[in-house]
Amino acid sequence: WAARFLAAERGAPIALSATVVSAFWAGMIVGRYGFSRLLRPGNEKRLVGIAGATGTGAVLGFIWIPGIPGPLLAVIIGGLAFGGMWPTIMSYAAARAEGSTGAASGLLIALGFLGALTVPALVGVLSMWTGLGVALGLVAVSMALSAVLFYLA
């Protein structure tokens, strides 16, 4: 949806808007490495909270910043933020699982897949009624909700 948004809403050429996916994954790679350097026992919730807030802001920036360079930068920042969240949440849950770490990991993976299946579809459906920019706000809500739920866990 991000590439479509840049093409439709910002007038980006399709070849340029398609780079948004690569930019996001580049941010993810660097974010995962960065988290591995910053992560210490006991600071998981703080790091995921900061990343959740940063990722939420990046998604909103992607939607709200006019032009093309700003949203592309927001996508990279979003990738940086998203990058370390998943492995941190997985290792945190596995380390604290009572009983089976496999069951805890399996539940989180299932929930992750549930989000991966539903959020893009919901963005598509919502975009028909609200426009793509508003519908992409669901990604920001999902990001913020993930960080809050992890913090409360």
Side-chain angles (χ1 to χ4, degrees):
W1 291 116
R4 173 82 177 123
F5 177 80
L6 283 181
E9 303 290 328
R10 299 292 185 260
I14 195 67
L16 176 61
S17 64
T19 63
V20 74
V21 176
S22 297
F24 176 78
W25 283 104
M28 286 272 292
I29 291 166
V30 174
R32 288 210 173 162
Y33 176 76
F35 257 68
S36 74
R37 308 307 301 160
L38 297 172
L39 191 60
R40 302 286 179 268
N43 76 348
E44 298 95 339
K45 288 187 176 190
R46 183 168 37 110
L47 279 176
V48 169
I50 291 168
T54 302
T56 300
V59 171
L60 294 174
F62 176 79
I63 297 166
W64 293 337
I65 295 171
I68 299 169
L72 282 175
L73 179 60
V75 163
I76 294 168
I77 292 169
L80 289 168
F82 284 109
M85 285 183 70
W86 178 254
T88 302
I89 291 169
M90 288 293 291
S91 64
Y92 183 87
R96 285 155 185 77
E98 294 181 17
S100 171
T101 59
S105 297
L107 176 62
L108 285 174
I109 290 168
L111 290 172
F113 279 126
L114 179 63
L117 287 170
T118 58
V119 172
L122 287 173
V123 168
V125 170
L126 284 174
S127 72
M128 291 188 297
W129 296 314
T130 65
L132 191 50
V134 173
L136 283 172
L138 182 61
V139 177
V141 170
S142 299
M143 180 75 174
L145 185 60
S146 296
V148 168
L149 290 175
F150 178 71
Y151 184 78
L152 294 176

